[in-house]
Amino acid sequence: CILSHLQNIEHRRAPPVAMIMKSVCLCTREIFKDADFAASNAATTTSNKGGVRPPTINPTTNPPSILSSPVEINKQITKGVLRAKLSKRRHLVLPRAISPSYLDELMPPIVTHLFEPQSVTYNGGVANVKNWKISCYLEVMEGGTPCTNPHEGMKRHCWELLETCNALFAIWYRQQHACNDPNTSTYKTDGNDNPIVSRLMTFITRYTPAPDENALLKHVDGAGKVDGSMVLALPIDRWTASKEENSFEGHGGGLTFWDGKMRKNTESGKREPEEIVYDTRSGDLAFIDRAVWHQANPITRGTRWALVIFYKVER
């Protein structure tokens, strides 16, 4: 449903924002009429394990749109991918792709009572951190990786956002892999010729200035075993303390990528990918292709929140 509306946008038949939001809600309600959601929707575009009821983000009759610019989003992705390909980059960061106003409505329950970080031990560590304890997992990989107790309440609360992210990732992936190696551009498609994608792992992370909690240094998502990922910058927490107390602005944060055209390192003499730094803020959305090196930059003050999704593309 979401994908069909975004496809309409691409062909200049853009429905109004209210229609998109209404269709998203109606679509999720229809999906959840059947309690056996996992079995009956195994082949749908946004396949996920488990059945949960759709959340109510805002009790008002006109909740804020999830997308900042529903009419422009396809055009932004298309232009962004074109520029990225010209620089041989396999990632894209869209400023304010998700509406900061929508995220401001979504965020208070997350920071006040839903967020429950789970302690996870990774074999060999992730970015040199073996004991990771600052993320709350909404969805985990088959077999309970990296934990066996995903937070169903958080998943319900974020459901509409997660489904929207699926639609955006599918559109980006199609554009990014157009005319590419058949090994990456051959995939199962939906009615709009977008790839069928599913979330492998979803989690929300809270960074603090404490050691081993202030960053996730240079790494590739899923040890390079996922088809791609998304990182969404969430709002500064203004609900458990003042913005001044919790803000990290001016004290680090953002994302760094090592991607694109190879350049000679003046110190080592080696040819290395370009280093690109983004000062991300609420609503900024990063699309990341398989095995692209990147990091969540350290902060020295406040707290920084992010939603991360690992994706599988059905082949």
Side-chain angles (χ1 to χ4, degrees), residues 2 24 28 46 48 52 55 57 66 98 102-103 106 137-139 151-170 197-199 201-204 230 232 234 307-311:
I2 304 167
V24 170
T28 52
T46 54
N48 296 282
V52 292
I57 300 300
I66 297 178
I98 303 299
Y102 171 83
L103 293 176
L106 187 75
Y137 293 85
L138 289 65
E139 297 166 316
H151 196 310
E152 290 294 330
M154 183 78 85
K155 179 181 175 180
R156 287 195 297 272
H157 182 68
C158 298
W159 184 259
E160 289 179 354
L161 174 61
L162 300 182
E163 294 295 280
T164 300
C165 287
N166 283 16
L168 295 177
F169 181 85
V197 304
S198 57
R199 297 188 299 273
M201 186 189 302
T202 306
F203 54 96
I204 291 176
M230 256 188 183
L232 172 63
L234 298 176
L307 169 70
V308 181
I309 305 173
F310 292 175
Y311 279 104

Side-chain angles (χ1 to χ4, degrees), residues 116 129 164 167:
E116 296 176 354
V129 180
T164 300

Side-chain angles (χ1 to χ4, degrees), residues 82-233:
L82 177 60
R83 287 193 296 266
K85 285 189 171 183
L86 290 173
S87 299
K88 296 186 177 181
R89 297 177 183 175
R90 296 190 300 118
H91 76 277
L92 174 65
V93 177
L94 285 185
R96 298 170 69 92
I98 303 299
S99 166
S101 296
Y102 171 83
L103 293 176
D104 282 347
E105 294 285 348
L106 187 75
M107 199 67 177
I110 294 175
V111 299
T112 56
H113 64 275
L114 284 176
F115 184 77
E116 296 176 354
Q118 293 125 311
S119 182
V120 173
T121 301
Y122 287 98
N123 292 329
V126 54
N128 296 322
V129 180
K130 289 188 176 182
N131 297 313
W132 188 253
K133 53 185 179 181
I134 61 172
S135 294
C136 176
Y137 293 85
L138 289 65
E139 297 166 316
V140 298
M141 295 184 179
E142 290 185 8
T145 301
C147 67
T148 58
N149 55 332
H151 196 310
E152 290 294 330
M154 183 78 85
K155 179 181 175 180
R156 287 195 297 272
H157 182 68
C158 298
W159 184 259
E160 289 179 354
L161 174 61
L162 300 182
E163 294 295 280
T164 300
C165 287
N166 283 16
L168 295 177
F169 181 85
I171 293 170
W172 168 81
Y173 193 91
R174 175 188 176 186
Q175 301 270 5
Q176 181 66 34
H177 288 268
C179 304
N180 278 17
D181 185 323
N183 291 328
T184 60
S185 58
T186 302
Y187 43 73
K188 295 180 181 179
T189 59
D190 62 12
N192 294 316
D193 292 326
N194 286 312
I196 297 176
V197 304
S198 57
R199 297 188 299 273
L200 291 175
M201 186 189 302
T202 306
F203 54 96
I204 291 176
T205 298
R206 177 185 60 193
Y207 297 98
T208 77
D212 293 337
E213 295 185 7
N214 65 342
L216 183 54
L217 298 180
K218 192 174 181 180
H219 66 283
V220 294
D221 286 336
K225 298 178 182 179
V226 301
D227 290 310
S229 55
M230 256 188 183
V231 179
L232 172 63

